[in-house]
């Protein structure tokens, strides 16, 4: 782990603690809604377990990847949907 930390220049302790040393995995509820007037997609990611994980979650809106940095029990993202939906 020390070699990887030296090369990356960042602490990898949280990653190893979260994914290798603690049993379990993220248990998520993901909900979304689309506002036709503002053309905005609202995404809510809720972690259902007590042990919170921090991780990137990629979704696609209008064919474009969007990254949600999940760090709390509830994470919200508002995305402008660039194309008109018919």
């Amino acid at each position: 782990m020390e070699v990887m930390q030296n090369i990356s220049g960042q602490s990898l302790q949280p990653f190893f603690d979260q994914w290798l040393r603690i049993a379990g995995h993220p248990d998520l509820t993901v909900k979304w809604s689309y506002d036709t007037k503002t053309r905005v997609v609202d995404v809510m990611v809720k972690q259902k377990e007590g042990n919170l994980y921090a991780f990137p979650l990629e979704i696609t809106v209008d064919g474009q990847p969007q990254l949600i940095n999940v760090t709390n029990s509830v994470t919200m993202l508002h995305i402008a949907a660039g194309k008109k939906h018919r």
Side-chain angles (χ1 to χ4, degrees), residues 2-79:
E2 187 176 329
V3 171
M4 291 186 287
Q5 290 182 135
N6 289 338
I7 291 172
S8 70
Q10 55 186 319
S11 173
L12 298 176
Q13 190 67 46
F15 172 84
F16 283 99
D17 288 345
Q18 164 174 289
W19 297 106
L20 299 177
R21 295 191 177 102
I22 298 173
H25 58 83
D27 185 8
L28 306 175
T29 296
V30 179
K31 294 183 179 181
W32 67 275
S33 63
Y34 177 69
D35 187 320
T36 57
K37 292 180 183 176
T38 62
R39 294 178 20 205
V40 170
V41 176
D42 293 316
V43 181
M44 182 204 62
V45 180
K46 182 177 181 183
Q47 296 195 60
K48 296 191 287 186
E49 69 285 324
N51 181 36
L52 298 180
Y53 288 80
F55 59 95
L57 178 65
E58 187 175 292
I59 63 170
T60 302
V61 175
D62 280 339
Q64 300 298 312
Q66 304 288 329
L67 192 63
I68 302 173
N69 288 311
V70 178
T71 56
N72 300 309
S73 58
V74 176
T75 303
M76 296 287 298
L77 185 65
H78 309 285
I79 305 164

